[in-house]
Amino acid sequence: MTYCLAATVEDGLVFVSDSRTNAGIDQLGTFSKMHPFTDLPGRFFTLLSAGNLATTQAVVARLHRDIREDAETSLATVGRLRDAALYVGGINREMQARYPEEDRPKGFSPNADFIFGGQIGNAPHDLFHIYAAGNFYSPTPLAPFVQIGEQKYGKPILDRILGTKTPLETVARCGLVSMDSTMRSNASVGPPIELMIYRAGIGSSTHMIYDEDNQYLRLLRRSWAENLRQAFEKLPPIELPQPKFRAVES
Amino acid sequence: MTYCLAATVEDGLVFVSDSRTNAGIDQLGTFSKMHPFTDLPGRFFTLLSAGNLATTQAVVARLHRDIREDAETSLATVGRLRDAALYVGGINREMQARYPEEDRPKGFSPNADFIFGGQIGNAPHDLFHIYAAGNFYSPTPLAPFVQIGEQKYGKPILDRILGTKTPLETVARCGLVSMDSTMRSNASVGPPIELMIYRAGIGSSTHMIYDEDNQYLRLLRRSWAENLRQAFEKLPPIELPQPKFRAVES
């Protein structure tokens, strides 16, 4: 499984991803699912991937090849962010189409999902969820985040904390808490955890990789467990009416 | 959809259920999924249901009929709690078998899942998850709860709070918080919310029904949102290294 999330707020973009892959519970692997493009002049992109590993690698390899070989359309040449998403979605479809439906072994799916976000020049930064079909959408300001993979465990905290005015550091912290809740509940989501923070105004990016024993991640986990317990204990107790008693054995 | 949960702790049992049914997003209904058996001398049972509504109603109707018509095996006659679960599981299978696989329209499934818990005399109280196949398991003391239906959103808080020594009121409050998180994230889980608390030592039960506008439920929701936000704000901030700056446009 996989869990990746990203948020777009006024100050920029935040991406968080896990690194566990599995092909059955006894075949675990560690692969980065965060693919930054930080060396293109005047532009920044990051791609997060979920789904078939062969497809996601093929897509990322093609994106790099198109830049390296000066293809007519590449992440280095597209003029608008939505055109970049369209281009990535098209490559996603192309890589899956190498394995036509009629030739697929039973149970095999080459499908892959992506989160793709970035900024070109001074145009607004944004974020897209790109489906296996190649189509994509950007999140709403009411819930300015996108998740792929194992989404449910980590969604409530995002719903409660994130808004478009949330500072980048807070967004990043919320993303790590969301990731931690997911790892706790689904063993197929695991470290290292990667974090990318992109500050839109000045175009700076920070890429962090937290391994399992990272001191901050452990501190965050302990604090969150303790703070949650306190938050719960402060809740108003239930007022219970008079109970019904069990009938006496006849 | 449905969300039901129950927990078994030293002091007794707690059951929580929502009341929304849906056959497509434009066909919502309100049906109780909590089925208490509180009038049997010397014994107490409660059943929570998820899945095909026709099957769950047929199962509950049969359980009541067997008691009313003094069947040889009924919830009034079984000697052990595991035998009661076996009997309920058998009826579940029987009701589904009315619709043999080869006669089912495409997409139709008569499957139903149950949570079944109770106490007979002074034997230990316990709880079972009964599958569509009729088989069942009881939860572990390490995680003394069972969920059916939409489980993921509400699971993290149960994982963090519940243990076998948790007092019944705390278990109930935790169950309501878990239900509230689920309702927030899945529109097909909805009120009224039912709560059953069974105190094992004295055999007393309390059944509460909270409608959407219930004052306590609203207070709990507001407090939890506020406490969670405070819990989050108290987390240690991320220490970020020097960022990488975007290359200048060439």
Side-chain angles (χ1 to χ4, degrees):
Chain A
M1 199 79 188
T2 283
Y3 178 41
C4 297
L5 70 105
T8 173
V9 296
E10 282 183 4
D11 292 346
L13 303 165
V14 171
F15 303 81
V16 183
S17 61
D18 87 310
S19 304
R20 191 156 290 171
T21 62
N22 71 304
I25 192 69
D26 58 349
Q27 205 180 338
L28 295 176
T30 303
F31 286 86
S32 171
K33 299 164 193 173
M34 182 175 288
H35 314 285
F37 294 82
T38 56
D39 291 324
L40 301 169
R43 49 186 63 202
F44 165 89
F45 306 107
T46 288
L47 193 70
L48 305 178
S49 54
N52 185 285
L53 182 61
T55 300
T56 63
Q57 281 194 354
V59 168
V60 173
R62 171 63 68 85
L63 296 179
H64 282 294
R65 189 184 88 180
D66 284 353
I67 295 169
R68 207 171 47 241
E69 300 186 355
D70 293 324
E72 197 179 316
T73 304
S74 79
L75 290 180
T77 68
V78 283
R80 300 180 205 89
L81 199 58
R82 290 190 81 87
D83 291 341
L86 193 64
Y87 157 72
V88 174
I91 291 180
N92 188 17
R93 273 171 57 186
E94 193 184 325
M95 295 303 139
Q96 294 169 54
R98 288 175 171 173
Y99 311 97
E101 213 143 328
E102 57 276 19
D103 297 343
R104 293 179 191 167
K106 203 171 143 59
F108 167 79
S109 164
N111 283 11
D113 271 53
F114 294 92
I115 293 175
F116 176 71
Q119 185 174 31
I120 298 178
N122 293 317
H125 58 280
D126 206 355
L127 202 61
F128 303 97
H129 178 176
I130 302 179
Y131 289 102
N135 57 340
F136 53 89
Y137 70 91
S138 60
T140 155
L142 293 171
F145 60 87
V146 167
Q147 303 169 285
I148 53 177
E150 176 59 277
Q151 307 171 28
K152 293 187 177 182
Y153 299 115
K155 185 165 180 286
I157 189 68
L158 304 178
D159 277 331
R160 288 176 194 276
I161 302 293
L162 297 188
T164 51
K165 295 193 181 301
T166 312
L168 285 175
E169 188 278 328
T170 308
V171 176
R173 193 157 23 115
C174 184
L176 291 181
V177 168
S178 173
M179 180 60 75
D180 186 53
S181 297
T182 308
M183 283 198 292
R184 238 188 107 101
S185 294
N186 186 331
S188 73
V189 175
I193 303 308
E194 292 188 72
L195 168 65
M196 171 70 84
I197 301 178
Y198 175 71
R199 193 168 291 278
I202 54 173
S204 69
S205 60
T206 309
H207 183 194
M208 315 265 291
I209 302 178
Y210 299 97
D211 61 25
E212 187 151 21
D213 296 326
N214 179 277
Q215 208 181 339
Y216 176 72
L217 218 58
R218 274 168 33 204
L219 176 65
L220 190 72
R221 187 174 299 155
R222 262 204 322 274
S223 307
W224 183 236
E226 177 54 31
N227 294 3
L228 259 191
R229 180 166 282 277
Q230 285 174 14
F232 180 80
E233 275 162 11
K234 283 189 296 178
L235 289 176
I238 304 178
E239 281 174 37
L240 294 170
Q242 191 60 23
K244 173 174 178 174
F245 285 88
R246 192 159 78 168
V248 176
E249 191 115 29
S250 57
Chain B
M1 198 80 192
T2 284
Y3 178 41
C4 297
L5 70 106
T8 173
V9 294
E10 283 183 5
D11 292 347
L13 303 165
V14 171
F15 303 82
V16 183
S17 60
D18 87 309
S19 303
R20 191 155 291 169
T21 62
N22 70 306
I25 192 69
D26 58 348
Q27 204 179 339
L28 296 175
T30 302
F31 286 86
S32 171
K33 298 165 194 173
M34 181 176 287
H35 314 285
F37 294 82
T38 55
D39 292 324
L40 301 169
R43 50 185 65 201
F44 165 89
F45 305 106
T46 289
L47 193 69
L48 305 178
S49 53
N52 184 286
L53 183 60
T55 300
T56 63
Q57 281 193 354
V59 168
V60 173
R62 171 63 68 84
L63 296 180
H64 282 294
R65 190 185 88 182
D66 284 352
I67 295 170
R68 206 171 50 240
E69 299 186 355
D70 293 324
E72 197 179 313
T73 303
S74 79
L75 290 180
T77 68
V78 283
R80 301 179 204 88
L81 198 57
R82 289 190 82 87
D83 290 341
L86 193 64
Y87 157 72
V88 174
I91 291 179
N92 188 18
R93 274 171 56 187
E94 192 183 325
M95 295 303 140
Q96 293 168 56
R98 287 174 172 174
Y99 311 97
E101 214 143 328
E102 57 275 19
D103 296 344
R104 292 177 192 169
K106 202 171 143 62
F108 167 80
S109 164
N111 283 13
D113 270 54
F114 294 92
I115 294 175
F116 177 71
Q119 185 175 30
I120 297 177
N122 293 318
H125 57 282
D126 206 354
L127 201 61
F128 303 97
H129 178 177
I130 302 179
Y131 289 101
N135 57 340
F136 53 89
Y137 70 91
S138 60
T140 155
L142 291 172
F145 60 87
V146 166
Q147 304 169 285
I148 53 176
E150 176 59 277
Q151 307 170 29
K152 294 187 178 182
Y153 299 115
K155 184 164 181 287
I157 189 68
L158 304 177
D159 277 329
R160 288 175 194 277
I161 302 292
L162 298 188
T164 51
K165 296 195 182 299
T166 311
L168 285 175
E169 188 277 330
T170 309
V171 176
R173 191 155 27 111
C174 184
L176 292 181
V177 168
S178 173
M179 180 60 76
D180 186 52
S181 296
T182 308
M183 284 199 289
R184 236 187 110 102
S185 294
N186 186 330
S188 72
V189 174
I193 303 308
E194 292 188 71
L195 169 65
M196 171 69 84
I197 300 177
Y198 175 71
R199 192 168 291 279
I202 54 176
S204 70
S205 60
T206 310
H207 183 192
M208 315 266 290
I209 302 178
Y210 298 96
D211 61 26
E212 188 151 19
D213 297 326
N214 179 275
Q215 207 180 338
Y216 176 72
L217 218 56
R218 274 169 32 204
L219 176 64
L220 190 71
R221 186 174 301 156
R222 261 203 323 273
S223 307
W224 183 235
E226 177 54 30
N227 295 2
L228 257 191
R229 181 167 282 277
Q230 284 173 15
F232 180 80
E233 276 163 10
K234 283 189 296 177
L235 289 177
I238 304 179
E239 280 174 38
L240 294 170
Q242 191 60 21
K244 173 176 179 174
F245 287 88
R246 193 159 77 170
V248 176
E249 190 115 29
S250 54

